[in-house]
Amino acid sequence: MSVAGLLSEWAWGPGGWAVIGLGIALAYIVFGIAGFGTALVAGPILILFMPLSKIVPLLVLLDFVAAFGNLLPSRRDVAKPELLRLLPCMAAGCTLGVIFLLNLKSDLLLLLMGLFISAYAVYSLWVKARPTQLSAGWAVPMGTVGGLFGALFGSGGFLYAIYLNSRLPKDAARATQSALISCSTVVRLSLFAIAGVYAELPLLILALCLLPAMALGLWIGRRLTLRLSREAFVRLVTWLVLASGLALIGRYLST
């Protein structure tokens, strides 16, 4: 079958493709600055065109490429003890998340995603100060729930960030988070592959078509970090994320 034939499943028209490409670019601008958050930005846009059960595997493919690109320059700063603490919990959470994603009803997922996005945004806007240092025991709930949200909603990175930023210096926290998200994408990619999600060639072709938008977003994001405060930019995006989350909840309630 030709590429055009495989893409016929995604019959969005030029306007739809433009909106999706813009959503992916914006998501990876955020990823280039903060190291996480692609699903929080792209999810509310993509869900207008495809079900969440397709969105998360699609973003996992793109995150797989982006995360390793972020990790390579900073791999020497990775705090291995923290990484090893979080990895088993993250893997367990990812497994639960994939099971839930493939078995829950789509309308319920829509509501849960809206609540999740809104709660994250409210927390981010409310908490301004650096959190007090968390004990190593917090790796269990943070890693497990982060893995669960990562598989279920495409983004659990903010929980890893809360934990790591409370225990490590800035560079080590960012490098360790990049390593953890890289491992998370490998785990989620493997679980989705075992579940047969990637047996659908149209989804793989769609991911390939969106790679240029992802690369553009990463390029812009990395350059914005040189000109704009990371905290200021993430805060602006958080307001947009909150608006998106409330819109999803409203859409669920109106159905």
Side-chain angles (χ1 to χ4, degrees):
M1 185 181 291
S2 66
V3 173
L6 291 171
L7 286 175
S8 62
E9 180 174 333
W10 318 111
W12 299 313
W17 278 102
V19 171
I20 290 169
L22 179 60
I24 292 294
L26 289 173
Y28 284 94
I29 289 174
V30 174
F31 190 91
I33 293 172
F36 65 93
T38 53
L40 295 173
V41 178
I45 297 173
L46 295 180
I47 209 165
L48 300 173
F49 299 92
M50 65 180 79
L52 187 61
S53 58
K54 303 288 185 184
I55 293 171
V56 176
L58 171 67
L59 292 178
V60 166
L61 284 170
L62 297 175
D63 282 354
F64 178 76
V65 178
F68 278 97
N70 269 2
L71 173 62
L72 290 176
S74 60
R75 61 189 181 279
R76 293 184 179 179
D77 293 324
V78 173
K80 293 181 181 178
E82 296 293 352
L83 183 64
L84 294 175
R85 244 183 231 115
L86 287 163
L87 275 177
C89 304
M90 178 269 295
C94 279
T95 303
L96 290 173
V98 168
I99 294 171
F100 292 156
L101 180 68
L102 299 178
N103 290 282
L104 288 178
K105 294 181 179 179
S106 59
D107 57 344
L108 178 59
L109 287 175
L110 183 70
L111 175 62
L112 290 176
M113 187 176 184
L115 292 172
F116 167 66
I117 289 174
S118 300
Y120 165 70
V122 169
Y123 174 85
S124 298
L125 294 168
W126 184 269
V127 177
K128 298 179 182 179
R130 178 186 174 87
T132 56
Q133 183 170 2
L134 298 175
S135 67
W138 278 95
V140 176
M142 291 294 199
T144 303
V145 179
L148 175 67
F149 283 176
L152 191 56
F153 302 118
S155 182
F158 73 96
L159 288 171
Y160 308 143
I162 292 169
Y163 174 80
L164 292 171
N165 286 328
S166 78
R167 293 181 57 81
L168 298 171
K170 180 181 176 181
D171 290 343
R174 185 175 177 82
T176 307
Q177 182 174 322
S178 293
L180 189 63
I181 290 178
S182 298
C183 295
S184 174
T185 58
V186 171
V187 172
R188 287 181 286 158
L189 198 68
S190 301
L191 289 170
F192 283 134
I194 292 170
V197 174
Y198 295 127
E200 301 178 24
L201 284 179
L203 185 64
L204 299 179
I205 295 297
L206 177 61
L208 188 63
C209 290
L210 294 175
L211 279 177
M214 181 214 72
L216 176 62
L218 281 180
W219 182 82
I220 294 172
R222 288 169 183 167
R223 274 147 187 79
L224 280 176
T225 57
L226 302 176
R227 301 183 180 183
L228 183 67
S229 161
R230 173 177 174 268
E231 290 75 15
F233 185 82
V234 171
R235 199 163 183 79
L236 173 63
V237 171
T238 302
W239 279 106
L240 298 176
V241 168
L242 177 59
S244 300
L246 293 175
L248 287 179
I249 295 172
R251 183 180 174 192
Y252 170 82
L253 294 175
S254 65
T255 56

